[in-house]
Amino acid sequence: MDPWLIWLIVALVLGAVEIFTLTAALGLLGGAALVTAVFAAVGLPLPLQFLVFAVVSTVSVVFVRPVVLRRLSPPPGGRFGVDALVGGVAYVTSEVSKLGGRVRIGGEEWTARAYDETLVIPPGTTVDVIEIKGTTALVYPRE
């Protein structure tokens, strides 16, 4: 069997295994085997084929894999959606009590309730968003 065909089979097997592992390492090794298959098809001697495979796989795993992993994994601790509003600042636009009210959070107007049901928060007060329940912000006055 020709060496280029063996390298091609190795590349396909590594690529297939990468689909199941998602480590970004086996796919890069498969790519290195594919590059080596091209050099083997041109007629490069076997020891140099191994050198090409070693160099290409090392470079790809050391330099390309970290970039791929950064792109695939979400940023650590990043909150988004309504979770990003919790802990933020809001401004009361109409009186907030245990029954309801309105606050402005980041340029948007939200329905709100007082986190402490005994409080009545007047308009113009700066409050902290303690929790979001559905479309209602539970707020507490800043001290």
Side-chain angles (χ1 to χ4, degrees):
M1 187 179 287
D2 290 334
W4 68 269
L5 188 56
I6 294 171
W7 285 112
L8 186 61
I9 292 169
V10 168
L12 292 174
V13 168
L14 287 171
V17 173
E18 174 63 34
I19 291 171
F20 296 108
T21 62
L22 299 175
T23 61
L26 296 176
L28 293 172
L29 294 176
L34 191 61
V35 169
T36 306
V38 171
F39 279 98
V42 173
L44 198 66
L46 190 59
L48 292 179
Q49 291 175 26
F50 283 116
L51 181 65
V52 166
F53 178 75
V55 169
V56 172
S57 62
T58 301
V59 167
S60 63
V61 168
V62 170
F63 294 109
V64 177
R65 185 171 185 261
V67 174
V68 170
L69 290 179
R70 272 195 305 268
R71 300 270 301 174
L72 291 178
S73 61
R79 298 183 312 171
F80 56 92
V82 294
D83 291 335
L85 300 176
V86 174
V89 178
Y91 303 97
V92 178
T93 57
S94 68
E95 184 177 88
V96 176
S97 66
K98 69 177 181 179
L99 301 174
R102 306 283 292 173
V103 294
R104 182 167 300 280
I105 305 172
E108 295 179 347
E109 191 142 333
W110 283 69
T111 58
R113 283 186 295 134
Y115 186 73
D116 180 355
E117 294 182 356
T118 62
L119 292 177
V120 175
I121 307 167
T125 305
T126 302
V127 293
D128 290 318
V129 178
I130 305 299
E131 187 179 347
I132 302 285
K133 283 191 175 181
T135 60
T136 302
L138 300 178
V139 297
Y140 193 81
R142 277 200 150 179
E143 297 176 0

